[in-house]
Amino acid sequence: MSSRIISGLLIWVWLFTSCSSQANPQEPSIISWDDLQIAPKPSENLCAKINPEDLDWEQFKRDFPSYGLFNAIEPEEYPNRKNLADGTQWVNPNKTLTFNWRFWYPEGNESPITLRLFVLLNERQLNNALPDAGNYSDIKIESGDDVTIKVIVPPLSPGVHDLIAVGIPYPQTDPDIYGSVIVVARRITLIAGETPSPPFRKINFVTLPAEGTVERNDPGMVLELTLKENGIDVWNWPNPWLDTKTDASIIFFALLGHLDVVNADMPDLKALKTSFSSLLLFLDYQQIEIAPGKFVIYSRTDSNTAYGRIPMTLPPLSEGKHTLLTLRIDAPGVPMCLLWNEGGRILPNSVYGKLVGINAVP
């Protein structure tokens, strides 16, 4: 395939990450070219452009295996289809945008799949972006279905914006005992108007103190949830539901560490010294504050950080069963065409999740 704007996700493999105190926070800082360990590029020629005619949905379907789930997000019509790069689109500022989120579920799949869909803009959940009113929509896809979902994006101010469409398979099932969950995600960068210089969204990242380190051979963690203040036990394992009282708050911790991407085509690249991420929290698929007055925590980790610990508190919940979804998004605010640089350094650019259950009783 010539472009990562449209790429596939095979979901027959269920992936999961297995599974002190926090130091004083350091001064926040923004991403620079040196942090990415790539050479600066002029804003007027940031990334190689792609011809819209090369994005042939039918050809992508033919190239995809006979099972699994393929999904893509693309601009619905001109002029949004012009000025495309790898995972990056230049759009007009201050105008509503419409995208097609497309799904191909080949005939080789033996059973239908249900997905709970929602959309993030700059790490905040959009309301009424999908056909169903509210913050999310549910769809059921049968074998052989080719489905298109409209995504409405509100007018954007000039600058760099991250649009991420997220799907969680089988939301009707109980959470996995490890908190493992497949995150079906399509991420594109929208640059409204002229490309700013430097071409990054201005985000203040705070260095996450290392609790576990690589030099001590501590386990590296992409994202894990635990109830232990000083431990790394997986959430409430081996029970899928954590029993709690409706009048009690829940204190828990997110563990996450440094990430790099190995590009086999560029074996001489030096290891990435610093990685960046954002952490988001959803209760029953509605985004909630992750800290007082904050919906997102932005952190940076150095290459020796196997994991750091972020404390969080849930307020008392209403009676019944609830799901808690945590997402980690790599390198927010950096254009995708820089993060996925064919023939050069590939930087962390994925979306990871943990999904756990809570059962609140009187």
Side-chain angles (χ1 to χ4, degrees):
M1 297 181 185
S2 61
S3 169
R4 293 305 194 283
I5 292 178
I6 294 183
S7 60
L9 176 66
L10 307 182
I11 66 167
W12 64 87
V13 179
W14 292 81
L15 301 175
F16 61 88
T17 303
S18 62
C19 179
S20 313
S21 63
Q22 190 168 357
N24 293 328
Q26 302 181 25
E27 287 297 318
S29 59
I30 62 175
I31 292 178
S32 69
W33 286 108
D34 290 341
D35 292 320
L36 301 183
Q37 294 176 221
I38 60 177
K41 298 182 179 182
S43 59
E44 65 272 11
N45 189 28
L46 186 65
C47 304
K49 297 296 177 66
I50 295 172
N51 190 330
E53 282 67 36
D54 292 339
L55 304 180
D56 187 340
W57 175 251
E58 294 302 323
Q59 184 62 50
F60 286 119
K61 287 170 55 179
R62 288 190 293 270
D63 292 341
F64 195 69
S66 59
Y67 56 96
L69 175 66
F70 179 79
N71 80 105
I73 188 166
E74 57 185 12
E76 182 182 54
E77 58 186 15
Y78 196 85
N80 293 342
R81 288 183 65 88
K82 69 179 180 180
N83 294 330
L84 304 179
D86 204 6
T88 305
Q89 303 172 22
W90 282 257
V91 299
N92 295 324
N94 305 315
K95 291 187 177 181
T96 300
L97 304 172
T98 303
F99 294 85
N100 291 327
W101 191 4
R102 307 189 70 171
F103 299 89
W104 167 235
Y105 197 54
E107 291 85 349
N109 293 292
E110 297 181 355
S111 58
I113 182 173
T114 55
L115 292 169
R116 179 153 291 173
L117 310 176
F118 56 92
V119 179
L120 304 173
L121 178 63
N122 297 339
E123 295 80 59
R124 289 294 302 271
Q125 189 174 23
L126 286 179
N127 190 39
N128 298 325
L130 298 168
D132 293 339
N135 288 340
Y136 62 80
S137 291
D138 290 344
I139 62 170
K140 181 178 182 180
I141 307 176
E142 303 282 350
S143 299
D145 279 355
D146 183 338
V147 178
T148 298
I149 302 294
K150 297 293 183 186
V151 177
I152 306 299
V153 178
L156 302 176
S157 60
V160 176
H161 304 269
D162 286 317
L163 180 69
I164 304 179
V166 178
I168 304 298
Y170 309 109
Q172 71 277 15
T173 61
D174 284 355
D176 178 84
I177 59 173
Y178 298 98
S180 57
V181 62
I182 291 175
V183 179
V184 178
R186 289 294 99 210
R187 174 179 173 180
I188 57 175
T189 300
L190 303 177
I191 301 179
E194 300 297 323
T195 308
S197 182
F200 314 128
R201 183 153 44 98
K202 292 183 179 179
I203 299 172
N204 287 324
F205 294 87
V206 176
T207 299
L208 182 63
E211 180 175 326
T213 65
V214 174
E215 63 186 11
R216 290 200 305 258
N217 293 317
D218 291 320
M221 297 191 184
V222 176
L223 175 63
E224 191 59 80
L225 297 182
T226 181
L227 298 168
K228 303 293 185 180
E229 182 177 2
N230 297 306
I232 59 174
D233 296 17
V234 177
W235 187 249
N236 194 44
W237 187 90
N239 302 309
W241 297 98
L242 170 67
D243 291 326
T244 186
K245 296 295 186 180
T246 53
D247 59 354
S249 300
I250 302 172
I251 299 174
F252 65 103
F253 304 87
L255 307 173
L256 64 159
H258 176 73
L259 273 183
D260 198 354
V261 177
V262 176
N263 184 352
D265 296 331
M266 302 288 289
D268 296 331
L269 284 175
K270 293 182 179 179
L272 193 63
K273 297 177 182 178
T274 307
S275 60
F276 299 81
S277 64
S278 60
L279 196 67
L280 290 67
L281 197 61
F282 302 81
L283 180 65
D284 298 329
Y285 297 95
Q286 306 278 340
Q287 190 175 12
I288 61 174
E289 289 186 349
I290 202 167
K294 292 185 178 181
F295 282 87
V296 190
I297 289 179
Y298 296 102
S299 60
R300 58 187 291 156
T301 51
D302 65 40
S303 58
N304 190 41
T305 303
Y307 65 87
R309 187 179 303 266
I310 299 177
M312 292 176 281
T313 302
L314 275 182
L317 303 178
S318 60
E319 182 178 354
K321 289 185 174 181
H322 303 271
T323 56
L324 184 67
L325 173 68
T326 307
L327 295 182
R328 169 186 173 149
I329 301 170
D330 289 330
V334 179
M336 279 293 291
C337 62
L338 295 178
L339 297 177
W340 197 288
N341 181 16
E342 292 189 23
R345 177 180 292 279
I346 299 175
L347 292 153
N349 60 84
S350 299
V351 181
Y352 302 92
K354 284 290 174 177
L355 181 70
V356 297
I358 302 169
N359 182 33
V361 298

